[in-house]
Structure formats: structure tokens, C-alpha cells
Amino acid sequence: MTQIKNIGLFTSGGDAPGMNAAIRAVVRTALFHDVEITGIRRGYEGMISGDLFPMDRRSVSNIMQRGGTILKSARSGQFRRPEGREAAYEQLKKFNVDALIAIGGDGTFRGAKAFGDEFDMPIIGLPGTIDNDLTGTDFTIGYDTAINTVINAVDKIRDTAESHDRLFIVEVMGKDSGMIALRTGIASGAEGIIIPEGRIGVDKLFDRLENGRKNKTSRIVIVAEGEGEEGGAFDIGSQVKEKFPHLDTRVSILGHIQRGGKPTCMDRVLACRVGVAAVEALLAGYKGDMAGLVNNEIVFTPFEHAIKRNSDIDPNMLRIVEMLSL
Ligand code: F6P
């Protein structure tokens, strides 16, 4: 086994609160073990263009509490092509990088898997996405902060909904995953959720509105974004308005507010734990795995399994929404 001397570190895909805490953990753990660390800006894009620089302990001072990522992030089209990956490998060699740590979500790990298969470059991933849609970790870095941002926003929407006796359709992020919608639906006391998993769609909502309690003053329905067959929140809003014209219905899209802000304590600690584990795993000879936390234990999952979205939504969680929103 060749000894690793210089780890390249990057963040890629949608940014997530807690990425900076993960960067700090990786940098300081590498330096602790006398391994050099090279920052790569803008993910795979910066790798291809050679935007690499040495990092030291001070370069990660005072970043733990900041949202976003000091390494910046991008979604790279070039890296999907073999020529892009070849160019990236050349740059890494030029900067003497002999291993990588990638912080990101499924797109990041798809790229890492392809790269690791083609080149002699051990890579370990850290789950950094607000979506919580990876297999091999109970929670992803950024998810806890994002769901807290959502419930703070929905609590405010509830105030105005209650004052005006309105129904609000609130769209939250999550690509084609309902993880953000499900948990925030429960925590904000939503009257309904619409998520891609388990066919929890508009029919259920219509049934609720037709046959449910009539004396409700405000109603909140949380909808997961996505290209699902239900359409987006505006489309669902139009359907509700048409079928239930007596309800005063509004639509609110929370959008990128969910991606920013100070990471919660949970996200910071998760980032520190998997950050340390990732460096030590690389040094122990691991490659091609994501470091996650399952049942409070560090677990390594091959990239190809990690990106297989865990679409099993806990039926008990759905039951909770059903019962408590009556
Ligand atoms: O993957 C994180 C995420 O915020 C998704 O929830 C969302 O679908 C997507 O990124 C939005 O991406 P962008 O900021 O590139 O539009």
C-alpha cells in the first residue's frame, strides 16, 4: 500500500450548512497525522482547471459556525465526460495529490465512483447535502439545519394563515426525496404532506379536505419539490383552488433559504465525526466509500450503494402525520 502524503479536499453539488465544519475537521485531522492537505475550489470544476492550494490549520479557523462552503461548490458537466476526468487527474498529479476527500451528495459520489474506477486515486466521501437522501448514514450534513430553517419559516406562515383563515401549500426542497417534507410536516403540525415516496399524493389531500374536520381555521400542506406526477406546488395550488373554491389558498416556495445559515449543533458534530473518520479511513487503506453515521456508529458504505436513494419512508412517520393532523 502506498503511503498517502497529500489529500485533496473539495465540496461539490448543492452546498449544505456544516460543510465548513467538515472541511475544518478534515484539514485538522490530516495535519494532525502529518499529511498535507490541498484545497480544491469549486469541486470537480476547480480540479479540472487546476484551482488548488495548500491548506493549513489557520485556513480553517473560525469557519465552523458559517453556512456555505469556503471551498465553494459547483455542479460540473465537464467531469461527466472521460476527457474532463482525465484533465482532473493530470492536475492532481501536478499538485502531488495522492488521495481525495469529497464532500457532497449523490452526484458527487457518482463522479467519485467513476474517477476511482478509472484512476489510481483513493477517494472517501462525506455525506454533505440538505436532502438526507443517501444510503449508509442516518442523517446527512446540512439536513438538520435545513429542517430547522423550514419549521421556523412554516411557523411564520402559520401565523398569517391563522389570521386570514387560509390554506397554504408550502414547497420545500429535496429533489425527488420527501425527507425534508416528512419531518418538517410532522414538526410544524402540517395538515398534509405530499411526497414522491409511497404515493402520498394529492388524492389523499383532496380526501382530507372533503371529509376531514371542517372547522379548521388554518391549514398547511408541505409539498416536496420535484418533477413528480403531481406537478409543483403552484400546480397543486391551482388544483386545490379549482376543487375547493371556498378555501382561501396561497402557495409559498421556500427555495434556497433552506441551503444557508449557521449549522446546528447536530450538523457540526456530525461533520466533525465523519470528517475525522474519513481521513483516518484513507490512511488505513479504505477507498471508494462514504463515511456515514448509522445508529450513532461510523459506518463505511461503497459509493455505489450510498447513491442508491433510500426511498423507504418509515410507515410509522406517515401514521404520525395522519393521526396528529386530524
Ligand atoms: O441537492 C440539494 C438541493 O438543494 C436539492 O434539494 C434541490 O433540488 C437542488 O439542490 C437545487 O439545486 P440548485 O441550487 O443547483 O438549483
Side-chain angles (χ1 to χ4, degrees), residues 14-15 75 129-132 143 146-147 150 170-182 184 194-196 222-226 252-260:
D15 63 346
R75 299 188 195 279
T129 166
I130 64 165
D131 294 345
N132 201 33
Y143 175 64
I147 57 180
V150 170
V170 181
E171 184 182 289
V172 297
M173 276 188 164
K175 237 181 276 166
D176 37 1
S177 154
M179 289 292 183
I180 294 180
L182 178 61
T184 58
I194 298 181
I195 56 176
I222 310 272
V223 181
E225 68 164 346
S252 182
I253 312 271
L254 297 189
H256 286 78
I257 191 173
Q258 295 160 89
R259 286 247 293 266

Side-chain angles (χ1 to χ4, degrees), residues 23-201:
I23 292 169
R24 174 178 172 274
V26 169
V27 169
R28 295 213 166 153
T29 308
L31 296 173
F32 176 85
H33 289 291
D34 294 323
V35 173
E36 284 176 53
I37 186 114
T38 298
I40 304 167
R41 292 192 190 90
R42 294 186 183 79
Y44 294 119
E45 287 289 298
M47 208 183 281
I48 293 169
S49 66
D51 198 354
L52 284 72
F53 64 101
M55 298 184 82
D56 58 17
R57 275 189 184 77
R58 279 196 46 81
S59 61
V60 292
S61 289
N62 217 6
I63 63 167
M64 171 90 106
Q65 70 278 22
R66 284 164 54 190
T69 158
I70 59 159
L71 290 178
K72 298 190 176 280
S73 196
R75 299 188 195 279
S76 175
Q78 294 188 75
F79 198 78
R80 289 199 198 107
R81 294 190 288 278
E83 315 82 79
R85 295 196 289 274
E86 174 80 46
Y89 184 70
E90 292 310 317
Q91 293 288 1
L92 294 175
K93 288 284 106 188
K94 209 159 97 191
F95 285 84
N96 298 317
V97 169
D98 47 22
L100 288 172
I101 291 186
I103 308 174
D106 54 354
T108 306
F109 297 156
R110 228 166 256 130
K113 164 84 181 118
F115 197 60
D117 287 349
E118 288 166 359
F119 299 99
D120 180 22
M121 182 65 63
I123 314 175
I124 294 288
L126 298 186
T129 166
I130 64 165
D131 294 345
N132 201 33
D133 59 348
L134 296 167
T135 300
T137 191
D138 290 340
F139 298 108
T140 53
I141 300 164
Y143 175 64
D144 188 59
T145 308
I147 57 180
N148 278 290
T149 300
V150 170
I151 59 166
N152 285 329
V154 174
D155 287 351
K156 289 174 180 150
I157 291 174
R158 176 73 79 178
D159 289 344
T160 177
E162 190 67 24
S163 305
H164 290 266
D165 296 340
R166 281 178 172 161
L167 180 154
F168 269 83
I169 311 277
V170 181
E171 184 182 289
V172 297
M173 276 188 164
K175 237 181 276 166
D176 37 1
S177 154
M179 289 292 183
I180 294 180
L182 178 61
R183 226 162 246 267
T184 58
I186 292 175
S188 59
E191 275 64 29
I193 57 164
I194 298 181
I195 56 176
E197 300 92 341
R199 286 174 294 285
I200 312 295

